[in-house]
Amino acid sequence: SYNAPPQETQTLPGPLWRLVYGSVVCGFGMAGIIIMIGVGGTFALMPIAQGSLINDILFFTAGTVAGRNGWLEGKLREQIGMPIAVLRLCSAVEGAILIALPPYITEIPILGIAWLVLAGVFCIDMSLVLLEWFQTHFNFQNRWMKILAEAAYTVYLIHPVIVVAVSALWVQVYESLGHKLEWSGFTSYTYIEGGGLTLGISWLCANVLVHLLVWPIAWFLRKAPGLRHIL
């Protein structure tokens, strides 16, 4: 009988390789796509912005490689090549810079490229921070965890609708406060009063509201006749 040779196990990329993937692939790579398609453009109905398309492909690939090599079976904090506190600090600093930088990009355009590259690095670091934190603190199962796990696939399918609805609600609330957004198609380049701080708080509120809506809706959809055997 034929015995297939054992596959080599790949280890989780260390800090230097993660920096390369973040800056080159998610950063410069995504910047190139945005330049080719145009700011505010779409690809197969997907809005093209930092954190989309190339990032999706890279993270899908990373997920399959992680599953094949058992990265999530072991402790991530022991595989990342640096103290977890340092990774958390780097992610927090990157996020703070990304929030603070946009108001200065119109005056110093080169900062736009720096923002895109840093956003790519942040995508990698922030994802690892979240994965490690949930692995450390939520690696157990109870009734609520079971419900969330069962609804996760449906959440994945329906979350774009909820995100768009909550984003539209934000626009209505923002304009009801006396501000006006100028639109070019589906895109607005109007400066947001309060800059990065307003955007950061808005993102937090929208994120919380999306989760409060999408999980119960997903759970009820799974119970609907005809859908319970699919979702």
Side-chain angles (χ1 to χ4, degrees):
S1 62
Y2 173 74
N3 293 321
Q7 292 185 337
E8 279 190 39
T9 302
Q10 292 178 269
T11 57
L12 182 72
L16 181 58
W17 274 111
R18 293 200 302 271
L19 180 64
V20 171
Y21 285 127
S23 59
V24 177
V25 180
C26 298
F28 285 113
M30 198 61 231
I33 295 294
I34 292 173
I35 290 171
M36 285 190 293
I37 294 180
V39 177
T42 62
F43 176 80
L45 301 180
M46 175 194 296
I48 294 300
Q50 193 60 31
S52 66
L53 194 56
I54 285 183
N55 299 60
D56 297 331
I57 296 170
L58 176 65
F59 276 77
F60 180 84
T61 304
T64 59
V65 174
R68 189 179 303 125
N69 293 279
W71 292 348
L72 299 180
E73 315 301 322
K75 292 184 177 180
L76 281 173
R77 63 170 56 198
E78 296 176 358
Q79 303 176 62
I80 58 176
M82 62 171 62
I84 186 61
V86 174
L87 182 61
R88 290 172 179 168
L89 178 62
C90 289
S91 184
V93 171
E94 291 159 7
I97 294 174
L98 290 174
I99 291 173
L101 207 56
Y104 304 98
I105 292 177
T106 52
E107 300 174 11
I108 312 174
I110 193 65
L111 289 180
I113 300 296
W115 190 94
L116 289 170
V117 173
L118 183 62
V121 176
F122 177 69
C123 284
I124 303 284
D125 289 346
M126 178 267 298
S127 298
L128 269 178
V129 166
L130 290 176
L131 281 172
E132 189 282 328
W133 192 81
F134 277 94
Q135 183 190 62
T136 300
H137 300 285
F138 287 88
N139 193 18
F140 60 88
Q141 187 177 76
N142 56 28
R143 179 171 173 268
W144 286 107
M145 290 296 182
K146 189 171 184 296
I147 289 173
L148 293 175
E150 290 175 349
Y153 180 61
T154 308
V155 167
Y156 167 72
L157 293 177
I158 70 171
H159 81 272
V161 177
I162 309 299
V163 170
V164 170
V166 171
S167 300
L169 176 63
W170 179 88
V171 171
Q172 295 299 316
V173 171
Y174 183 77
E175 292 192 334
S176 72
L177 296 175
H179 309 298
K180 183 64 178 175
L181 295 176
E182 300 295 335
W183 295 90
S184 174
F186 295 105
T187 306
S188 174
Y189 301 102
T190 308
Y191 175 75
I192 302 298
E193 292 297 328
L197 180 61
T198 299
L199 290 174
I201 295 173
S202 299
W203 171 85
L204 180 61
C205 294
N207 208 332
V208 170
L209 183 56
V210 165
H211 281 286
L212 289 175
L213 292 171
V214 74
W215 290 97
I217 292 172
W219 188 84
F220 281 112
L221 282 175
R222 287 192 70 254
K223 301 300 182 182
L227 295 178
R228 66 183 64 179
H229 301 297
I230 302 174
L231 299 176

